[in-house]
Amino acid sequence: MKQIDAEIAEITERKQDGREEDEDHRETGNKEENEKEDDGNKGGGNVIVVSADEAGTWHEAIIRRAWCKKCAQMRIRVDRERQSQKYIVFLHESDGRVDLMRLERCNTDNVVRALTELTLKYPNKTIVVVRDDASQHKSSTLRAQTGKGKPLEHAQFISLPPRSTDKNPVERVWDEGKNSISNRQRTFFENTCEAFESFVTSKKFKYRPFRSSR
């Protein structure tokens, strides 16, 4: 974790130095353009640090106990159709808020779309994404979308050590979110998804392990 702290600090320091040069340059520019860029930089400087991870919710009725009349024949009908929804969570290191996005499937293409959406949500920001070493996070397809002029131009990635999912604070977000909807059978799966999304996005979580961005 000390190495991750150091990498975040290096990126933050580098971007802050670049920001100071940009501000000197903007002093002689158009006033309206200056104000527009200032608005884009509000809320904690040029660097946003997030922890990322994917997981899912599912919907399946399971009957564990049932009451019936003694010696009476009963037939219990249960909807055993299993449904699931994949998500990706971005937990902000600065204040513990969450950006949550649905994924059609947990693969590289959908992860790239979600990351692109995140960068568009925070224009003029460098987004440092700390994530595990799952295949969809280190594929050549994702790397091809980074670099100048590419969709993920403003995203930088830091990998957690192998087999250290316990170090990712998003795991605890998943635990809280799933506990909030477990053992409560809802009529429709969409209701389950909405309950999960409402809980996760309405909280500010305290799990922020990276010292350099506090």
Side-chain angles (χ1 to χ4, degrees):
M1 302 307 290
K2 289 183 179 179
Q3 181 179 347
I4 292 176
D5 278 337
E7 290 183 53
I8 294 173
E10 181 181 355
I11 293 171
T12 302
E13 183 177 355
R14 185 166 65 246
K15 293 301 177 180
Q16 285 176 340
D17 291 343
R19 180 190 61 194
E20 292 171 358
E21 294 176 1
D22 289 343
E23 288 175 349
D24 291 341
H25 176 74
R26 286 201 304 267
E27 286 179 357
T28 59
N30 181 275
K31 181 179 179 181
E32 292 182 358
E33 292 180 356
N34 292 346
E35 291 175 351
K36 183 177 180 181
E37 291 193 23
D38 289 341
D39 288 340
N41 286 327
K42 288 179 180 178
N46 275 9
V47 178
I48 295 174
V49 180
V50 298
S51 300
D53 193 29
E54 301 89 8
T57 60
W58 60 89
H59 177 102
E60 182 179 13
I62 300 175
I63 299 296
R64 294 187 174 92
R65 295 182 179 88
W67 292 95
C68 61
K69 292 183 179 180
K70 188 176 181 179
C71 300
Q73 292 185 349
M74 301 291 293
R75 177 177 294 180
I76 299 175
R77 297 185 181 277
V78 179
D79 177 10
R80 297 306 302 269
E81 181 183 359
R82 184 181 176 92
Q83 302 177 74
S84 64
Q85 174 62 57
K86 297 295 185 182
Y87 292 98
I88 185 167
V89 154
F90 301 103
L91 174 64
H92 288 250
E93 177 74 7
S94 60
D95 59 6
R97 73 185 186 277
V98 162
D99 283 307
L100 177 71
M101 302 175 192
R102 294 190 182 192
L103 301 176
E104 291 183 11
R105 294 180 61 190
C106 191
N107 58 23
T108 299
D109 289 340
N110 286 315
V111 169
V112 168
R113 291 189 190 99
L115 288 166
T116 303
E117 183 178 340
L118 185 70
T119 61
L120 293 175
K121 186 174 182 179
Y122 301 100
N124 306 319
K125 304 284 187 178
T126 294
I127 301 180
V128 180
V129 183
V130 182
R131 76 281 195 266
D132 60 31
D133 60 349
S135 59
Q136 66 266 24
H137 297 159
K138 57 183 182 180
S139 70
S140 58
T141 301
L142 189 150
R143 293 196 301 270
Q145 301 304 312
T146 62
K148 190 171 181 60
K150 299 295 182 64
L152 300 181
E153 175 182 358
H154 299 295
Q156 298 195 31
F157 301 95
I158 297 176
S159 293
L160 290 165
R163 297 179 295 280
S164 61
T165 55
D166 59 309
K167 301 298 184 182
N168 192 334
V170 179
E171 295 292 340
R172 301 181 185 179
V173 175
W174 290 131
D175 288 342
E176 284 198 37
K178 290 179 179 179
N179 287 336
S180 73
I181 61 173
S182 63
N183 297 321
R184 298 181 185 179
Q185 190 65 42
R186 294 170 175 84
T187 305
F188 301 104
F189 178 53
E190 182 63 24
N191 300 142
T192 301
C193 294
E194 290 173 353
F196 175 80
E197 294 164 10
S198 177
F199 177 86
V200 170
T201 58
S202 65
K203 288 195 62 173
K204 288 190 175 181
F205 295 88
K206 62 182 179 180
Y207 314 119
R208 300 191 292 277
F210 308 119
R211 294 187 300 274
S212 56
S213 59
R214 291 179 182 176

